[in-house]
Amino acid sequence: VVSAGSAHTTPDGVWSPDVALRGVHPTKLGLYTATKSTQSFQCLDRSKRIPFSAVNDDYCDCQDGSDEPGTSACSNGTFHCKNKGHIGADILSSRVNDGVCDPECCDGSDEYLGLINCPDKCKEVGTAYKKHIEEQRRILAEGERLAREYAAYGAKQQTDRTTQIAKLETQISVLDGRIKKLAEIKAAAEAYEEKRKAKGQTVESAEQEEESTRLKGKCCPTLEKCREMLDEQIGHNLLLDERIEYLQEGAWNLDSVEEATREDDHAVSNAVDGWEGYKLMYYFFDEETVDEELDTADEQPANEMPITGNDDEQQPKPKPKPDCCTRLKKCKREVDDEQEKHLHLQDRLEALLKVFYHLNDVKVKSKRDDEAVGRAYEKFNDYRLMFRGEKIPPMPDIEELDVRKEASEVPRTTEVPRTKNATEDCNRPDAPLVSCLRQRLQSYSKSLWKQMLALVRTPTAAEEAAMLRVDPIKAKAKFNLAETQRFDLQEKLNHLKKLKDVDFGPAGVWEKLFEQCFEYDAAEYKYYICLLQKAEQKPKSGTAGTNLGTFTRWGRRDDKLTTAANRYKYMMYENGDQCWNGPARSVEVALECGADTKVLSVVEMSKCEYTARLRSPAACDLAIPEQEIEKEAASAAATQSTSSSNRDEL
Amino acid sequence: KDIVMVKHGDFKTCQQSGFCVRQSAFADLVDKVPSFGSQYELLPDSLKIDEGKGVVTAHLLDQKQKTPFIFELFLLEHDTARVRIKEAPPIKPRYELLGDLALASSLPASVPIAKVNRTSTGEEIAVHFGVSGKNLLVLHARPFRFELSVNGVPAVSFNDKGYLYYEHSRSKESTPALENQAASAADGNVPVEEGANKDDEITKLQEALNKDLWEETFNGKTDSKPNGPASIGFDVSFPGSSNVYGLPQHASTFSLKTTRGENREYDQPYRLYNLDVFEYILDSPMALYGSIPFMMSHKKGVSSGVFWLNSAEMWIDVEKSKGTGTLSKLASYIPFATSKETSATTTSTHWMAESGVLDVFVFVGSTPNDIFDSFTAITGRPAMPQHFATAYHQCRWNYMDEQDVADVNAGFEKHDIPYDVLWLDIEHTDGKKYFTWDKTKFPNPETMQNNLAGTGRKMVTIIDPHIKRDDGYYVTKEAREKGLFIKDKDGNEFDGWCWPGSSSWIDYTDPAARQYWAEKFQFSEYKGSTPSLYTWNDMNEPSVFTGPETTMPKDALHHGGIEHRDVHNVYGTLLHRSTYEGHLLRSKNEDRPFVLSRAFFAGTQRYGAIWTGDNTAEWGHLAASVPMILSIGVAGVVFSGADVGGFFGNPEPDLLLRWYQVAAFQPFFRAHAHIDTKRREPWLFGEPYTSLIREAIRQRYRIMPYLYTLFWQSTQNGSPIMRPMVSEFPEDENTFGMGDQFMLGKGLLIKPVVQKDQSSVDVYLPKLAVWYDYTSLGKVAPSAAGVLNVKTPLEKIPVLLRGGTILPRRERIRRASNLMLHDPYTLLVALDHKGEATGTIYADDGHSFRFREGKYVLSELSYSSGTLSARGVRLGNDAKLSDADVDALSARVERLIITGLSALPKKVELDGRQLEFTGEKVDGDVYKIVVKDPKAWVGRDWKIHVE
């Protein structure tokens, strides 16, 4: 029962200092106490002075409500409950003496008029709070620890991705060049094939017949020797391959050199130019295995090599065991090929080394400021350390294998003079790279190189002939393979780029959980949230699921409510299945810190607008101020101790 | 943007309604063919006058049809005349039970006739009645008609235009006689002026008189009409009056538009037929959810009203014409009548109903307030609502589960926005079976309600009249066993489609069904309900998705073989009533019911609130809410409101805010939204909207003592809470046509902002009063024409305080209104020209019926000559309460604000005790003082002197 006008005074109606201090926050007690020097109360906003008797007299005098901390008289004031045994709390003045036991005031001090009896629950609330806060601390600490792990993981992924992308981009650009050339070769070979078919004869038939049986008996021992030579040569080539591979790896970095560095440093510019030239000339042979596969597709004699795959009549015939001479002939061709390759690899290595010799002269600043230059230089240094002193053995002499007394052919090496001078010239640091390379290339009569060369300048008749001997099937296969390879690389690159553009949250902390799906079991449905990917709803009845949206952005559904502070506390999945008479489905996922990742709730707040809560270490701040935890825990404990469901209080 | 609006084709026009065609054609023939004339004659020899009882009876003959009728006139208190015309005897009985359902349980007493004059031929009878015989009703025998005047000023004229046309009951075999009559009139004896075209037109009209007599099909649905034609039409004119009001519910202007005659504003009559209209359009006479066949008119000095007690489908034409009709005839009985007429406009109305009887109440008085009083004396006084019901309600289709409810509640707590009631729409049920809960979403409804109740809050669940045809559903089973469902024309349980799918409808016209329904609300029956749970009746037009015009077929059968067509418009109210009675039953008559209904009829005010139905989140709908609520309010249903924000669609935040700002001053204040819309709880739009909406809602809570007093006053005299300007300023002709601003009680004038980015609004301020800005309390200075331009930044809509008002407020805004019942008052005194003001405070326990036993506080406040006097008063037999009782029901005045003083006072005193006060000069050269805590108790007697 309310009695008249007694709210602000003692039962006998007299003002007392105790009443004056009711609801005052402990830190402000001084302001509410009369001293010798202050005989009146000053509103805390300093707008007014009133006698101390007007403090807590149940009439609002101060505009800021500060004169009535202990009553409900001011609509903008707060009341402090001491909550002895727990933690003090401030509640709105409008909740003082409103007949409701506010959970925040566990001591019941806000209801002193007797409209309701609010027992002091602070002891049990305090105990629950302490327990809760400890648990909370433990969970948060664990969450934060995991968050740091996640962040480290995310950071590494991001670095790896950057490197990968650079490499892939270079590979693709080179491959593009190659594809262009292969297309041309293919076209030429196909055109030639057409022409040849029209003539009705194979290119090599005359030559092969002449060689056939003349020198049969001498062939077998020489074949053995040839085999040894072939093995040796292959070994040498592998050594060269290794070195080239190593240097190339370093050289890819040059693709990422910044324009500014090139302009600033002549040496860098030279290196990059050299590398560009190198790629133009050599990168084709990166796919050596392809050639091998096609070259040695079976054991059939070279002279029986089918011209087209459509020649069905020859297929069922049993193949006779080739004699030594035939095999020798084949072996010699192989050695010949390997040696050609060797020469090529040597050239290639030299060209690469020349690129790197330029790097010897780059400025310290370039190495320091341009990551790409730095890395390339480092790799080159490593190379020098690794392969220092290791010599590539000289090439065996293929002429030893000639079973004919008189050489029927001019040795190939003399076709194009490979003088010491010429080599030395080309080894000079200021040698004109491209012309040197072309010079070398002219020595390979049967290689694709020659054919390629034909494309960059008007081919000689011999070169054209050689080029025309390219099997159109092989040319097509090579081209197709390169295309496929480019497609794969592009796919890989697109994927990486996409990932690179994904905002994995602060310090990339969410990448750890990227595309992981978490389930929530609602009454009729199961919900799936696949992080930073998509959200789905599947009815338990087993009918088709509903797409609730794909991840689009961080922040609130209503983006106007997104702030720098809360941006990473929400994720949006949008553009899901369209609703009848409503919007496309979307989910706003509110994130909270915890030691594990779990969907806590999913609710369809408005038609087709879902709201989910998800707990995860990834949502933990990497460092949370301690008092935040306490505040949160205090509120949670207070709420838990009552039956009220006002979870969001405070 | 392609917005799906109401499909006109889904609802009938007059041309698609057989009786509307027939009655309209009759009226047109009367107009076009002079000899067609009115065909009804009172037989003077049969006249019987009981002067003591105030009753006049006579035989009335339809000369053309040769069918007899009985005319009855009853004179009643509250300046009311009841006129009844019935067939004598009908071949088929007509529905005459409506009075028992729709009228107040005790009607005004009859009054004796003061004086009767008759002409020598007996063809004119002048009946004087009312206080000192000020009302004069003149009956004319041939053609039959009557006029009613007040103090010599003509007010109402019945059958002035000769449109009275009563389709007598007949058998299908009999030849309709009227056609022949009309034909012969056209063929021979009538001089036709315009030749062939005119002939054609008249022939068509004659044919129209026979349209759809025995069967009628609309949109592929056929009305079997086994009883044939039974419609009734008549005209009522308001001589000298340019405005008629009422006839809810329409999304139209407050002063009704013309629908007949040249330059008519609508090409259709106003229709009254309770319908569930999907996305209704604005500025239209189309029928909506409720129907009250009541119309009011006002001219300077005289107000009048007409109420037709009839619940069948009705169409009403409004026509305005120059001149004063047949008043010259009346003048011979009132020699001074014409001299008083200044306006030359007469408004005539043509009323057409499909069936029932002619039972018309005519009310006269000098102001609209007299008419409100008379009309609610007949149809019942508004119920005193629960205090919480007058606060702010939060609703949505749907709050999905208990967690959602808890979250929304927590949102209000967190943002410190007060609200009193949280509502649950149809999704809370188990498969739309009312009185049940969805067990997964609402496993613990009692706990949920108790949690809300812990902070003084209530919950409302929806209960609709369609019952799922599911044998496992106990309501279906019980109602079926007891035979309480409406039957189809063949006598089988009517089966239609609504929310639950296949459904049947409880027949609330059956007393047994009402009793059964009421019992369903007992806590033992309605599992999961608690005393803090109240009810919302929706879809009670009734809405039948598969029915003609989305409602019940007219040939469906009710208790006693009554056709649905006879009771259609009252059906929804009978559900409302049954639910109300259920609430009484469950609390053993302790707790005042709170029931919201969508459909309504005359008398709905006895049971609770209504809302204007499914509006749209558009500025136009915000604007329309004002005339709609005004029209409903003048027709007795004082507790109504529109869905804040608009039901369909998503309001922009500024529209939502503007809606809150005006709805805070409207009787029923509830936010509601369609399930397809985005969430729009007040805090979801960020700043400044959250703060501004909070402030708008707080404005509501501040004035709740004033509002509650208005509600109480309404229970005494039927005065609307939200009043048209004309009823507060009946002497100011500028207000007569006004429907875009309104008064809340006598003291506050509100003009909503109904356009986007509107930076200022013109308000009309009647010159009879002094006006203060409600925020600054400074006196405002309107133009000579009475117009004040008010700046309307987002935080403000024009609210003006009328000088002469003492307005009680509570400044301590709590989270729910019932928590404020013990809080002290602030009295706001705004002085008028003479430096005076008056006001009233009514208070009670806020929820029970103990006020009927005198447990209430009523304080009359007046300020004059520098003295504010408070006087506790008692009504009728109520004994004085003890001071302790007064104190328990009331509270002290903690603050007194007086504005309009010409100078700062020297001192302010209460019983010789000096009171602290501060003062300042405010706009308009007046002073405002704030007196600190006079410790004066509302309900006790005291005086404060301002010197």
Side-chain angles (χ1 to χ4, degrees), chain A residues 483-495:
Chain A
E483 286 266 83
T484 314
Q485 200 177 22
R486 192 199 186 285
F487 181 81
D488 291 346
L489 289 178
Q490 190 62 51
E491 285 282 280
K492 214 168 141 188
L493 178 67
N494 291 348
H495 179 66

Side-chain angles (χ1 to χ4, degrees), chain B residues 872-887:
Chain B
V873 291
R874 312 302 300 163
L875 297 170
N877 298 326
D878 293 339
K880 196 165 165 49
L881 291 178
S882 71
D883 283 354
D885 284 340
V886 170
D887 293 354

Side-chain angles (χ1 to χ4, degrees), chain B residues 474-549:
Chain B
Y474 71 102
V475 178
T476 306
K477 193 162 163 283
E478 291 168 359
R480 189 168 284 165
E481 277 164 10
K482 293 171 190 274
L484 304 179
F485 285 126
I486 296 177
K487 311 288 188 297
D488 66 18
K489 67 181 167 58
D490 303 318
N492 305 312
E493 238 172 48
F494 175 75
D495 181 352
W497 204 265
C498 205
W499 297 128
S502 180
S503 307
S504 290
W505 275 256
I506 300 277
D507 178 11
Y508 303 98
T509 65
D510 180 354
R514 294 201 295 273
Q515 178 65 26
Y516 168 75
W517 187 259
E519 284 165 5
K520 292 296 108 185
F521 287 89
Q522 300 197 87
F523 299 117
S524 57
E525 290 266 338
Y526 184 1
K527 305 287 185 208
S529 69
T530 70
S532 66
L533 184 72
Y534 295 87
T535 305
W536 170 18
N537 290 150
D538 195 4
M539 312 297 279
N540 51 337
E541 294 73 24
S543 178
V544 180
F545 296 161
T546 46
E549 302 190 86

Side-chain angles (χ1 to χ4, degrees), chain B residues 330-376:
Chain B
L330 184 62
S332 59
Y333 297 91
I334 321 158
F336 46 85
T338 45
S339 63
K340 279 198 176 180
E341 276 309 325
T342 52
S343 166
T345 301
T346 286
T347 304
S348 308
T349 58
H350 180 204
W351 302 58
M352 304 162 256
E354 184 173 19
S355 61
V357 293
L358 193 157
D359 193 352
V360 173
F361 293 79
V362 183
F363 314 100
V364 289
S366 49
T367 69
N369 287 335
D370 294 336
I371 308 303
F372 304 147
D373 187 25
S374 307
F375 179 55
T376 54

Side-chain angles (χ1 to χ4, degrees), chain A residues 2 4-5 54 57-61 72-73 75 92-98 100 102 115 523-524 558 561 580-581 604-607 609 643 645-649, chain B residues 396 400 403-404 406-407 409-410 413-414 416 440-441 451 454-455 675-679 684 686 811-815 819 822 892 894-895 930-933 935 937:
Chain A
V2 195
D57 67 345
D58 207 18
Y59 181 82
C60 194
D61 292 289
S72 60
S75 61
L92 296 171
S93 291
S94 65
R95 294 176 190 181
V96 174
N97 289 321
D98 66 347
V100 177
D102 286 276
L115 290 167
E524 298 158 65
D558 180 353
L561 303 180
W580 184 81
N581 210 4
E604 187 177 0
M605 292 293 281
S606 301
K607 185 73 174 279
E609 292 188 347
S643 61
S645 60
N646 306 340
R647 303 181 326 282
D648 289 346
E649 291 264 352
Chain B
R396 170 176 183 82
M400 299 311 292
Q403 185 63 48
D404 198 2
D407 288 346
N409 185 64
E413 294 272 313
K414 182 180 171 190
D416 194 23
T440 36
K441 292 171 180 166
N451 283 343
T455 46
I675 194 167
D676 288 346
T677 63
K678 290 180 191 303
R679 286 284 175 139
L684 290 178
E811 307 284 358
R812 303 182 184 194
I813 311 300
R814 309 268 191 185
R815 61 188 113 186
L819 303 180
H822 297 294
R892 75 186 149 101
E894 68 167 334
R895 188 182 291 104
V930 179
V931 181
K932 174 170 176 174
D933 205 3
K935 297 185 176 69
W937 276 71

Side-chain angles (χ1 to χ4, degrees), chain A residues 18-19 57 59 71 73 147 174 203 209 224 248 316 389 448 501 579 588:
Chain A
D18 285 352
V19 169
D57 67 345
Y59 181 82
T71 75
V174 170
V203 179
E209 245 166 67
E224 208 160 306
Q248 272 187 181
L448 278 171
D501 290 344
C579 256
E588 180 187 80

Side-chain angles (χ1 to χ4, degrees), chain A residues 140 143-145 147-148 506 565 569 593 616-625:
Chain A
L140 290 187
E144 283 167 33
R145 190 187 65 74
R148 283 190 292 270
K569 303 255 182 260
C593 171
S616 172
C620 296
D621 285 348
L622 295 166
I624 299 179

